[in-house]
Amino acid sequence: QLVSFKLNDEDYALNIMDVHEIIKIEKIKLVPKSPEIIKGIISLRNNIIPILDLRKLLNIETKQNLKLEEQRIIIINIHGTSTGILVDSVSQVFSLERKHIDQPPKILDGKRSELLSGIAKLDDGKKIFMILSPQKIMLKDDASLLSEITSNQQQIENKKIELIKEEENFKKALDDNWQSQTEESEKAQGQNSSSSLKSDQLFVCFK
């Protein structure tokens, strides 16, 4: 089974076994001094995910009339690191027999051909999908950069979470202290009112 997606007007696909999940585009945070192929990072359920710019890898220009609401991030695994690739839209999931998948033609530019594992043909070759190989998107040595960025940014994210928890605990301690003081103050006022009432009653009885 293959998951197909679009970049500009070109059709690409990934083996469904390589796809962990597909999410709507979130705010992508830039990473200073990172290579241009790294679009940035996102936090997915408190896990840092680096986002790759496939356009840079495939030498594709940015589409002018790109519909942002249709963009998706496909989460895949690149040499042990969960990584997102930004695509224009996700089209469909379809099954295809291996006999309908050919080797990438040599007429493709060298860089694009290196990233493909095959060419899928549908409708007697009328519809063509270029199948990407996650392990070819980045070499293992280059992919270590993804792991490094993820680790560094995860430490920053964890620190932020710790600070937020500390702030919440501090606020809770203040609220509890304020509540305790308020209860003690109300209790003291109640005792003073009771003593005053007894004095008034004693004065009336004496009279």
Side-chain angles (χ1 to χ4, degrees):
Q1 283 190 310
L2 298 172
V3 178
S4 66
F5 59 91
K6 281 186 175 291
L7 283 173
N8 287 3
D9 295 321
E10 296 179 338
D11 292 297
Y12 291 85
L14 285 162
N15 188 311
I16 197 169
M17 299 302 293
D18 292 326
V19 177
H20 289 189
E21 61 181 303
I22 300 171
I23 62 174
K24 291 184 178 181
I25 187 170
E26 300 182 13
K27 184 178 180 180
I28 299 176
K29 178 184 176 182
L30 299 179
V31 179
K33 299 180 180 180
S34 62
E36 63 177 4
I37 62 170
I38 298 179
K39 190 82 173 176
I41 58 171
I42 63 170
S43 178
L44 181 62
R45 296 185 289 275
N46 293 329
N47 292 314
I48 296 300
I49 307 292
I51 306 298
L52 293 184
D53 189 344
L54 277 184
R55 284 189 165 81
K56 298 293 184 182
L57 288 167
L58 298 169
N59 297 322
I60 300 175
E61 294 183 0
T62 302
K63 192 175 181 180
Q64 296 299 321
N65 58 341
L66 187 63
K67 296 180 180 179
L68 297 179
E69 68 275 8
E70 293 184 1
Q71 282 191 306
R72 294 292 184 270
I73 293 174
I74 302 177
I75 308 297
I76 59 177
N77 185 294
I78 298 181
H79 299 294
T81 300
S82 291
T83 306
I85 55 174
L86 183 63
V87 303
D88 294 348
S89 62
V90 173
S91 308
Q92 59 181 321
V93 176
F94 61 93
S95 299
L96 192 66
E97 294 182 19
R98 188 167 293 278
K99 65 181 181 180
H100 295 299
I101 299 177
D102 298 333
Q103 291 297 315
K106 295 181 180 180
I107 59 173
L108 290 175
D109 63 80
K111 184 63 178 177
R112 188 174 306 191
S113 180
E114 291 174 4
L115 303 181
L116 301 181
S117 62
I119 300 292
K121 296 181 179 180
L122 290 180
D123 302 330
D124 296 325
K126 295 178 182 178
K127 191 76 171 176
I128 294 178
F129 297 87
M130 290 176 276
I131 305 173
L132 285 174
S133 169
Q135 307 313 318
K136 291 183 177 181
I137 289 177
M138 294 187 80
L139 297 176
K140 192 169 185 178
D141 290 342
D142 296 333
S144 63
L145 177 62
L146 294 178
S147 178
E148 182 180 345
I149 289 175
T150 301
S151 177
N152 292 339
Q153 295 299 318
Q154 188 68 60
Q155 290 179 18
I156 294 173
E157 184 72 11
N158 291 342
K159 188 63 177 177
K160 287 181 180 178
I161 293 173
E162 288 177 8
L163 290 174
I164 291 172
K165 287 182 178 179
E166 288 178 2
E167 184 178 356
E168 289 176 348
N169 290 335
F170 180 69
K171 287 181 178 179
K172 185 177 184 303
L174 286 178
D175 290 341
D176 290 344
N177 186 51
W178 173 258
Q179 181 68 26
S180 176
Q181 290 181 354
T182 301
E183 290 175 354
E184 289 179 2
S185 177
E186 291 176 348
K187 184 178 180 181
Q189 289 178 0
Q191 290 176 345
N192 291 337
S193 298
S194 177
S195 298
S196 176
L197 179 59
K198 288 180 180 179
S199 297
D200 292 341
Q201 290 175 340
L202 182 61
F203 179 72
V204 171
C205 291
F206 181 77
K207 289 177 66 177

